[in-house]
């Protein structure tokens, strides 16, 4: 079977580089440590006493560029990172906090296949009751930072404080609850007032608004303006030896209603698990299924609306980074990645009277709108 899938860039700085680069800048890690841990620090940062990493959920570099007049502080950065693949929060945050790719840390999508139970698990909200202990296969760099003499601090909304995902993906950091963006900025300033610390500041507001109203909505722009002003305040009030790095887990694009496609039930007959996002479907099939034939059937049906690959093709193309033997069976046998603004929905459970609930802002695939995220350096990192 001939392949027609894109390859992932393997020499480009991405979210996995953020925390290792910060630890190097803080003097807690060096080249020898990077070699020993097999981590990379490809973001060049000036030395600093402490670092604040701001993660803005759902802020794509292209969307920021289109609204640059509403976010002059953020837009002044001009630099970009690649978020990785799939462009979904569970996978991207795990990449950020472990310094590893999804193929190594094991969080391969918004939802994923559990080969031990034969079920699809929600890997964003399912950590409390679905995801088994030890599913994240790499230690967080919060835990590592503490062993290197750096205090790890997580600043985020109070509702996430006791969640299973926080305990796993953000494990090792001292959690500080702050429910508004201004309050989180204040908390980050307090956490870096003295000592040596690595502070992670999470901003979920833009992603939530984008899903419901789209990134092109007035509400999204208003939230961006508020965020920009608060980040400018963070920059102005931080101590001179505190570095600030602002980035995002993924971007977003608005999917028109008529671009939401119901997946053909005939192509799902042999599928026993539908995982991932509507823009990045991972399909696990029953034993004995002719996977190459199913891939070709999906390609024929979707045409230029999607990249369709077998698991072997996706792994060979580097989509998930280096994939370990333990992670391999978690990846779908067939992967359908939307091109353009399409989304692929599983509507088999709907009745004729049901009105499907679709998100406007979506992500998960490989477009530049989703994979390119800002890299704004400030404070000591900008000197």
């Amino acid at each position: 079977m001939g392949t027609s899938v894109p390859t992932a860039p393997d020499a480009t700085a991405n979210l996995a580089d953020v925390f290792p680069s910060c630890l190097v800048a803080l003097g807690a890690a060096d080249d020898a440590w990077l070699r020993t841990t097999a981590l990379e620090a490809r973001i060049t940062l000036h030395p600093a006493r402490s670092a604040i990493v701001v993660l803005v959920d759902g802020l794509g570099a292209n969307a920021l560029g289109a609204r640059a007049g509403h976010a002059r502080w953020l837009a002044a950065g001009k630099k970009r990172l690649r978020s990785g693949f799939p462009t979904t929060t569970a996978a991207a945050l795990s990449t950020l906090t472990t310094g590893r790719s999804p193929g190594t840390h094991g969080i391969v999508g918004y939802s994923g296949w559990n080969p031990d139970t034969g079920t699809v698990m929600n890997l964003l909200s399912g950590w409390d009751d679905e995801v088994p202990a030890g599913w994240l296969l790499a230690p967080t760099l919060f835990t590592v930072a503490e062993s290197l003499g750096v205090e790890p601090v997580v600043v985020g909304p109070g509702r996430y404080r006791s969640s299973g995902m926080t305990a796993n993906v953000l494990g090792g950091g001292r959690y500080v609850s702050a429910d508004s963006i201004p309050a989180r900025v204040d908390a980050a300033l307090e956490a870096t007032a003295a000592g040596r610390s690595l502070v992670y500041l999470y901003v979920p507001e833009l992603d939530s608004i984008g899903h419901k109203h789209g990134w092109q909505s007035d509400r999204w722009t208003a939230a961006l303006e508020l965020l920009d002003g608060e980040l400018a305040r963070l920059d102005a009030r931080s101590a001179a030896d505190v570095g600030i790095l602002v980035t995002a887990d993924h971007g977003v694009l608005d999917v028109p209603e008529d671009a939401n496609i119901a997946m053909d039930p005939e192509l799902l007959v042999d599928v026993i698990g539908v995982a991932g996002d509507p823009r990045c479907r991972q399909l696990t099939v029953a034993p004995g299924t002719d996977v190459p034939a199913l891939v070709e059937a999906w390609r024929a049906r979707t045409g230029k609306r999607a990249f369709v690959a077998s698991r072997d093709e996706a792994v060979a193309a580097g989509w998930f980074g280096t994939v370990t033997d333990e992670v391999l069976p978690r990846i779908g046998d067939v992967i359908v990645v939307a091109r353009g603004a399409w989304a692929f929905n599983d509507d088999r459970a709907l009745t004729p009277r049901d009105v499907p609930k679709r998100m406007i802002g979506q992500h998960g695939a490989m477009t530049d709108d989703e994979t390119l995220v800002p890299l704004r350096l400030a404070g000591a990192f900008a000197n």
Side-chain angles (χ1 to χ4, degrees):
M1 177 174 57
T3 63
S4 58
V5 300
T7 57
D10 58 4
T12 304
N14 57 60
L15 290 177
D17 294 87
V18 171
F19 280 3
S21 298
C22 287
L23 290 173
V24 170
L26 299 186
D30 55 18
D31 288 342
W33 179 82
L34 293 171
R35 288 193 297 271
T36 299
T37 58
L39 293 169
E40 295 191 86
R42 292 174 290 189
I43 304 171
T44 301
L45 301 173
H46 294 294
R49 171 180 56 83
S50 291
I52 301 172
V53 174
V54 181
L55 193 288
V56 185
D57 200 326
L59 179 61
N62 287 354
L64 174 60
R67 296 292 182 268
H70 297 270
R72 296 186 183 279
W73 186 90
L74 272 167
K78 303 298 184 183
K79 295 183 178 180
R80 296 179 171 188
L81 283 180
R82 285 199 172 271
S83 64
F85 174 85
T87 47
T88 195
T89 298
L93 289 191
S94 299
T95 294
L96 176 80
T97 62
T98 65
R100 312 286 181 182
S101 65
T104 300
H105 63 60
I107 312 305
V108 298
Y110 164 75
S111 59
W113 179 253
N114 184 338
D116 296 325
T117 61
T119 58
V120 172
M121 304 182 302
N122 188 306
L123 296 173
L124 188 64
S125 62
W127 291 87
D128 297 305
D129 54 8
E130 296 180 51
V131 183
W135 194 257
L136 181 66
L137 300 176
T140 73
L141 290 173
F142 296 120
T143 301
V144 174
E146 190 167 31
S147 71
L148 296 174
V150 176
E151 182 189 14
V153 180
V154 175
V155 179
R159 64 184 181 275
Y160 299 141
R161 183 187 189 98
S162 60
S163 75
M165 185 176 186
T166 295
N168 286 270
V169 176
L170 303 179
R174 174 172 65 88
Y175 199 95
V176 178
S177 297
D179 289 332
S180 69
I181 295 174
R184 274 170 247 151
V185 167
D186 290 340
L189 290 169
E190 182 178 353
T192 54
R196 185 166 64 158
S197 57
L198 175 62
V199 176
Y200 165 77
L201 192 166
Y202 180 55
V203 180
E205 283 84 354
L206 268 72
D207 186 66
S208 298
I209 294 170
H211 281 312
K212 187 174 182 179
H213 302 285
W215 76 265
Q216 300 182 70
S217 67
D218 291 341
R219 294 190 185 189
W220 193 90
T221 301
L224 178 64
E225 289 179 342
L226 170 63
L227 172 64
D228 190 70
E230 286 302 311
L231 293 181
R233 180 170 71 90
L234 176 67
D235 184 18
R237 296 193 180 180
S238 289
D241 56 358
V242 174
I244 300 170
L245 185 155
V246 183
T247 189
D249 53 348
H250 55 74
V252 65
L253 51 75
D254 292 353
V255 176
E257 179 57 37
D258 59 4
N260 280 283
I261 299 171
M263 294 186 288
D264 188 342
E266 292 185 4
L267 296 178
L268 298 173
V269 169
D270 296 319
V271 173
I272 57 176
V274 177
D277 296 273
R279 289 188 50 76
C280 180
R281 287 300 186 192
Q282 296 188 42
L283 311 176
T284 299
V285 302
T289 300
D290 187 340
V291 172
L294 185 58
V295 168
E296 290 300 336
W298 270 96
R299 286 176 177 167
R301 185 63 54 89
T302 60
K304 294 183 178 180
R305 294 177 294 185
F307 295 115
V308 183
S310 68
R311 178 171 58 203
D312 290 345
E313 290 173 332
V315 170
W319 286 7
F320 298 90
T322 300
V323 178
T324 66
D325 291 341
E326 191 170 359
V327 174
L328 191 64
R330 301 181 182 186
I331 299 172
D333 296 291
V334 178
I335 305 171
V336 181
V337 181
R339 302 169 69 179
W342 302 98
F344 298 92
N345 301 279
D346 186 0
D347 290 346
R348 289 174 296 174
L350 297 179
T351 69
R353 294 183 179 181
D354 290 334
V355 177
K357 295 181 179 180
R358 314 291 196 200
M359 294 182 296
I360 298 176
Q362 298 195 39
H363 49 82
M366 296 179 176
T367 67
D368 284 351
D369 287 337
E370 295 157 289
T371 61
L372 294 178
V373 294
L375 176 62
R376 177 67 160 98
L377 303 179
F381 288 162
N383 294 334

